[in-house]
Amino acid sequence: MPPDDMPAAPGELTAEPGDPLLPLPGEPPLETGGARPTGLDPDQMGFTPRRAVPWLSPVLLSGTAVRVMLADLFGAYLDKRELQDALPGRILREGRGYTGELTDDEAEWPDGGELWLDFVADTGDGFNATYSVAYLLAQPRLTVDGHDLPRGEVLVLGGDQVYPTASGQQYEDRFKGPFRAALPMAPEGVQPRMYAVPGNHDWYDGLTAFLRLFVRGNEGSVGGWRTRQSRSYFAIQLPNRWWLLGIDVQAGAYIDDPQLRYFTRVAARMGPGDKIIICPPSPSWVEATDDRKAYDSLDYFVRTVVAPTGAEVRLMLSGDLHHYARYERPERQLITCGGGGAYLYPTHELPDRIEVPPRRSLVRNPSPSREFTLAATYPTKGRSRRLSLGVFWRLPWRNPVFLALLGLLQTLTMLAFVNAADRVVAGVEQRLVTVPAALMVVIDVLGACLLAMPRSAGQRRPRHWALGLLHGAAFVGLAVLGTWAWLSLPFVGLTWPLPLLLAVVLYFPLSALAGGELFALYLLLASKVSVNVNELFAGQGITGYKGFLRLRLTADGGLTIYPIGVDRTGRRWRATPATRPDASWFESGKPMRLRLMEPPIRIAAQGEIKE
C-alpha cells in the first residue's frame, strides 16, 4: 500500500490515464432506488471518472504546449469577453431567504441578515480528489474542530474548473460529473447557487465551454447547484453592505471595456462603509514578486473602479496556486486557496513578506505600495519542504512514460557516442539506428534549457539559462558515463544487431531510472532559486492537502472565514443508500478527517482583522 500522498498502486482502483475508473471489486449492489449508481460505472453515472492528470506525460505536454501556444498567438482573436457585451449585465443579490437580480429601482439591502458562502478553486483534475472536495461541499453541515458549519448557500469557484485544457467532455468528466455525484439534486428548501471565475485552463478553448456551462442565467445547473451569472464575470450584493466581485483578467494583461463598464455601473451603487471581496483568477500579489507586471490589472481595477467610491477592499480570494496561503495587513486579507482537487503546490518557497503593488511596478500612477506579512500556510512550510524530498520516489512512480522518454534519449545519446568513438564496426545498418553525437548533444541541452524556462517563469533571467545549461551538461555527462561503461563490456564485439538489442534490454531501463533521478535532483535544486517550483510538485502528483473556505457573513456586519483542510482525500468509494434525493452517490470507505488549516479569521465590520 503506497503512502497517503502517493498515487494508487496497480490494482487499487487503477486505470490508464484518461480511462475510466472501475467499480470497487466485490462491492455488493445496494438497494438505492431510482437511478442511483451502485459503483463507479460510467454507464450508471453518465460520465467517465478520470485519473489525475499525468503532467509529465510527453503526449500531454506536447498537446498542452500546442494549446497554450495557440492561446498566446490567437488569444486576442478568440477573446469572447467583448462579445459578452450583448449578454445581460445583471447585478445579483444573495441573502438568506432572498436571491435575485438587483434592479435600478431596488431598495437598499436591509442590515442584520446572515449568509454562509463557500469558496473553492482548481477543482477539475482527478476524480478522487475532486469528488472528495465536492462531497464535503455538498454535505448539509460539517463539524470541524468543534465548529458547526452549515453548507454554503452560495458556492464561488475561483478558476481552473477543468484540466488540462477546456472542452465540453472534459468539463463533464472532471467537473460537472463529480459535483453532480456529490449533490445530485437540489436539497429541500432553498437551492444553493454557483458562480465561477474562469482560470487560465478554462481559457484554452477561448472560453467556449465555460460560457456554455456557467453563463446560462437561472436556466443552468450543476447537480443541485443553480448557476446564475450572465457573463464570465459577476457582481453580487451580499448582506450588510458586503459585495463580492468576480473578475475575468485572463486574456492578456488588461480588463476589457465591457467588463469595466459593467463594474463601473456596479460601483455606482457603492459608497463609504461598503466592504468588498474581490475574486481574481490568480494570486497576482504573489506572482508580482517574480513578474512585476502581474498585479497591474488588479491594481488598475481597484484604483479606478473601487477606490473612487470610498468602499474598502477587505478581502481578496484566489486559487491557481494549489495550496492555502494568507497574507495580511490590518485593513486587508490576501488569501490563496487552490485546494479544490489539483496536485499540491509547495508553500515553502513563498516569501514571508510581499509588497503590493510591487515598488518596481512600471505603472505610471500605481496605488501606494503596502507590505503584507505571511500569516499562515497549508501545508506548513516545514511539511512542504519534506514533501519536496519525495520527488526521488514519487516522480518515477507517477511518470513511467516520462522516464521512458528520458531512457530513450539516454540510449540514443550513448549509441551516438559509441559510434563516434569508432569502436564498433561501421556499416549501413549501424548508421540507420544512430544519429550524430553532436545532434544528440544539441537536443539534450536545448531540451534542458527549455525546461528551465517554463511559461510561468515570466522574464528569463541568467539563473534560468545557467540551470538549463548545467542540467543539459549533466544529462550529457550521464550519457558519457554510460558510454564508458558500455565500451568496457564485451557487448561491442558481438555481431550487429546484438549490441543494439542488448542496449535496449539492459541499458535502456537503467538509463531511464538514472535519468529520472537526475531530473528529480535538478528539480529539487532548481526550486531553491525559484525555478521549476511548479514542476517539482506537478511531477509528484500529490493529491492530499486539499481544502476550501467557508465564510459566514454575520448580522453585525462582520465576516468570519473558516479554512477547512483535509490531509488525505478519499480513494476508495462505496455507493450510499438513497436516504434522500440530494444525498451524495458515494462515500469514502475510510472517513476523511477534517481540520481547520488555521484558526478562524474574523474581519470586523469596521477596523482591524482579528483571529
Side-chain angles (χ1 to χ4, degrees):
M1 187 77 171
D4 290 353
D5 50 9
M6 288 279 287
E12 183 182 348
L13 203 62
T14 59
E16 292 300 319
D19 288 344
L21 296 173
L22 302 177
L24 289 177
E27 195 71 33
L30 299 176
E31 296 296 331
T32 58
R36 293 176 65 88
T38 58
L40 297 181
D41 184 354
D43 291 334
Q44 296 184 37
M45 294 188 296
F47 71 96
T48 303
R50 303 288 182 178
R51 294 295 305 277
V53 176
W55 287 103
L56 293 186
S57 166
V59 175
L60 176 68
L61 286 173
S62 58
T64 303
V66 171
R67 297 293 291 270
V68 171
M69 180 181 67
L70 292 175
D72 287 343
L73 292 176
F74 303 108
Y77 304 100
L78 298 176
D79 191 347
K80 294 181 174 60
R81 293 180 303 174
E82 300 281 353
L83 301 178
Q84 293 181 54
D85 200 20
L87 299 175
R90 291 200 292 263
I91 304 173
L92 302 161
R93 303 180 85 176
E94 290 287 359
R96 182 162 299 174
Y98 182 85
T99 177
E101 181 180 354
L102 182 63
T103 59
D104 292 338
D105 57 352
E106 193 77 42
E108 290 296 323
W109 188 272
D111 290 338
E114 292 196 0
L115 181 73
W116 287 89
L117 182 147
D118 290 336
F119 176 87
V120 67
D122 304 281
T123 54
D125 204 326
F127 177 82
N128 286 339
T130 297
Y131 180 75
S132 295
V133 175
Y135 172 86
L136 296 173
L137 290 167
Q139 299 314 296
R141 58 194 335 104
L142 300 173
T143 301
V144 186
D145 292 350
H147 299 276
D148 183 44
L149 308 176
R151 175 176 52 215
E153 300 158 66
V154 175
L155 173 59
V156 177
L157 304 169
D160 287 347
Q161 280 69 241
V162 65
Y163 294 96
T165 54
S167 70
Q169 191 60 50
Q170 291 282 28
Y171 271 111
E172 185 68 34
D173 292 343
R174 294 188 180 274
F175 170 74
K176 188 176 181 180
F179 272 74
R180 186 173 66 244
L183 188 66
M185 298 178 61
E188 293 185 7
V190 179
Q191 182 178 17
R193 283 78 65 194
M194 175 183 286
Y195 300 87
V197 172
N200 60 303
H201 289 269
D202 300 295
W203 261 101
Y204 286 157
D205 70 338
L207 217 59
T208 299
F210 178 93
L211 295 177
R212 289 175 179 172
L213 179 60
F214 295 106
V215 182
R216 300 180 62 184
N218 285 320
E219 298 178 359
S221 64
V222 175
W225 285 277
R226 174 71 66 185
T227 59
R228 299 193 59 228
Q229 67 197 78
S230 59
R231 297 184 181 183
S232 62
Y233 43 89
F234 54 86
I236 309 173
Q237 187 185 39
L238 303 172
N240 306 312
R241 305 187 68 179
W242 281 92
W243 290 82
L244 190 148
L245 309 180
I247 62 177
D248 180 3
V249 292
Q250 277 297 337
Y254 73 97
I255 301 177
D256 56 290
D257 287 341
Q259 187 172 184
L260 284 175
R261 288 195 298 269
Y262 169 80
F263 282 113
T264 299
R265 185 161 59 89
V266 173
R269 294 179 172 274
M270 301 176 182
D274 284 0
K275 298 151 295 218
I276 313 299
I277 303 171
I278 296 182
C279 295
S282 62
S284 54
W285 49 87
V286 175
E287 296 169 348
T289 57
D290 290 324
D291 181 4
R292 59 183 176 178
K293 296 181 180 180
Y295 191 75
D296 289 352
S297 292
L298 189 53
D299 181 53
Y300 177 82
F301 180 84
V302 173
R303 188 175 71 251
T304 62
V305 176
V306 178
T309 69
E312 298 180 13
V313 177
R314 304 299 303 279
L315 175 62
M316 290 186 179
L317 298 177
S318 179
D320 193 53
L321 300 183
H322 311 154
H323 59 220
Y324 173 81
R326 179 171 66 90
Y327 287 88
E328 67 173 358
R329 278 183 61 84
E331 72 279 4
R332 184 179 299 176
Q333 296 283 291
L334 308 176
I335 298 181
T336 306
C337 187
Y343 63 88
L344 177 67
Y345 188 87
T347 61
H348 62 275
E349 298 296 340
L350 289 173
D352 292 329
R353 290 178 176 80
I354 57 175
E355 291 183 339
V356 183
R359 294 185 185 276
R360 56 197 186 102
S361 172
L362 297 178
V363 176
R364 182 171 298 177
N365 297 306
S367 302
S369 183
R370 295 183 174 90
E371 185 177 88
F372 287 76
T373 303
L374 183 62
T377 65
Y378 176 76
T380 63
K381 284 194 171 188
R383 181 58 178 160
S384 174
R385 192 173 290 109
R386 291 190 294 272
L387 288 170
S388 68
L389 298 177
V391 67
F392 292 105
W393 60 87
R394 292 193 194 95
L395 189 145
W397 178 287
R398 184 76 173 84
N399 305 276
V401 178
F402 181 73
L403 256 66
L405 174 63
L406 295 180
L408 177 63
L409 290 174
Q410 276 289 322
T411 302
L412 291 176
T413 306
M414 183 273 290
L415 291 174
F417 287 171
V418 168
N419 190 58
D422 199 26
R423 292 284 300 274
V424 296
V425 178
V428 175
E429 298 86 356
Q430 183 75 8
R431 288 194 294 270
L432 286 176
V433 296
T434 60
V435 291
L439 178 59
M440 286 307 306
V441 170
V442 170
I443 292 174
D444 295 341
V445 175
L446 181 62
C449 288
L450 291 175
L451 173 70
M453 302 176 192
R455 184 170 179 264
S456 59
Q459 182 180 0
R460 275 58 173 174
R461 294 186 173 91
R463 68 172 184 266
H464 294 92
W465 288 102
L467 284 167
L469 292 172
L470 288 174
H471 183 205
F475 193 82
V476 172
L478 183 62
V480 171
L481 182 62
T483 301
W484 172 80
W486 188 257
L487 292 176
S488 301
L489 297 173
F491 302 143
V492 293
L494 299 177
T495 305
W496 194 90
L498 289 179
L500 176 63
L501 296 178
L502 288 172
V504 172
V505 174
L506 298 179
Y507 187 83
F508 172 78
L510 294 176
S511 64
L513 183 59
E517 293 302 301
L518 176 63
F519 182 70
L521 178 61
Y522 160 77
L523 290 178
L524 188 63
L525 296 177
S527 69
K528 301 297 183 182
V529 290
S530 300
V531 176
N532 293 124
V533 178
N534 182 56
E535 288 75 13
L536 173 65
F537 273 66
Q540 298 186 59
I542 300 173
T543 58
Y545 304 96
K546 296 294 165 276
F548 59 94
L549 304 180
R550 183 149 288 178
L551 292 75
R552 182 189 182 189
L553 288 95
T554 53
D556 61 2
L559 171 65
T560 304
I561 305 171
Y562 299 89
I564 302 173
V566 54
D567 291 345
R568 172 176 173 163
T569 57
R571 297 198 306 185
R572 299 184 65 84
W573 306 97
R574 57 170 178 248
T576 57
T579 54
R580 61 182 193 279
D582 62 314
S584 301
W585 284 350
F586 309 103
E587 64 182 6
S588 177
K590 184 177 182 180
M592 293 178 283
R593 288 180 292 181
L594 306 181
R595 64 188 181 100
L596 293 180
M597 295 184 277
E598 65 166 322
I601 304 105
R602 171 71 176 174
I603 302 179
Q606 299 291 336
E608 296 189 358
I609 296 166
K610 304 174 183 179
E611 293 187 20

